[in-house]
Amino acid sequence: MKLIKAVINPYKLDSVRESLSELGDFGLTVSEVKGYGRQKGQHEIYRGAEYEISFVPKVSLEIAIADEMVDRVVALIVEQAKTGKIGDGKIFILPLEEVIRIRTSETGDDAL
Ligand SMILES: Nc1ncnc2c1ncn2[C@@H]1O[C@H](COP(=O)(O)OP(=O)(O)OP(=O)(O)O)[C@@H](O)[C@H]1O
Ligand SMILES: [Mg+2]
């Protein structure tokens, strides 16, 4: 299993989420975050205005998935979130040791 953490532009959330739901029945955690990449937040446009402060609002998605789904989920996020401009975001893929569904005590792939 892997934990995919994707930091994307907030206005891309809906299209990413819709495409993900077509791919499968997995859960998703969304957080409003702020951050910066290698431009340190300079020269990024958000809602028509250039942000003068260092941190730019982003949305962070966390998706726990089976290994065989990783490539498809990553390709989908890239396809939906990409504009080709700076600040499009970044995807982090982390090994995921265990998942437990609290209601049933199922573990591993069965708990996803
Ligand atoms: N190395 C990093 N570690 C943690 N978070 C990061 C890192 N790089 C980017 N992020 C997060 O991802 C968001 C989007 O980053 P961004 O797309 O600007 O990356 P970048 O490396 O500067 O790429 P680009 O040149 O396309 O802008 C940042 O606002 C930040 O929240
Ligand atoms: Mg950047």
Side-chain angles (χ1 to χ4, degrees), residues 2-8 16 20 59-63 65 70-82 88-94:
K2 296 282 186 291
L3 183 67
I4 297 188
K5 246 181 100 73
V7 183
I8 62 170
V16 169
L20 281 171
V59 162
S60 174
L61 311 179
E62 283 176 273
I63 312 161
I65 47 165
V70 171
D71 290 350
R72 267 178 284 178
V73 169
V74 167
L76 185 154
I77 295 170
V78 170
E79 186 186 304
Q80 295 298 325
K82 181 172 178 172
D88 270 353
K90 205 162 274 187
I91 301 173
F92 306 92
I93 303 173
L94 294 75

Side-chain angles (χ1 to χ4, degrees), residues 7 33-39 44 56 58 85-90 92:
V7 183
V33 297
K34 53 187 181 178
Y36 56 76
R38 57 186 178 173
Q39 294 85 9
E44 275 197 50
V56 181
K58 299 286 173 184
K85 300 195 179 100
I86 60 167
D88 270 353
K90 205 162 274 187
F92 306 92

Side-chain angles (χ1 to χ4, degrees), residues 90-104:
K90 205 162 274 187
I91 301 173
F92 306 92
I93 303 173
L94 294 75
L96 181 58
E97 211 161 288
E98 187 57 292
V99 178
I100 299 113
R101 175 173 287 117
I102 293 176
R103 176 173 62 86
T104 57

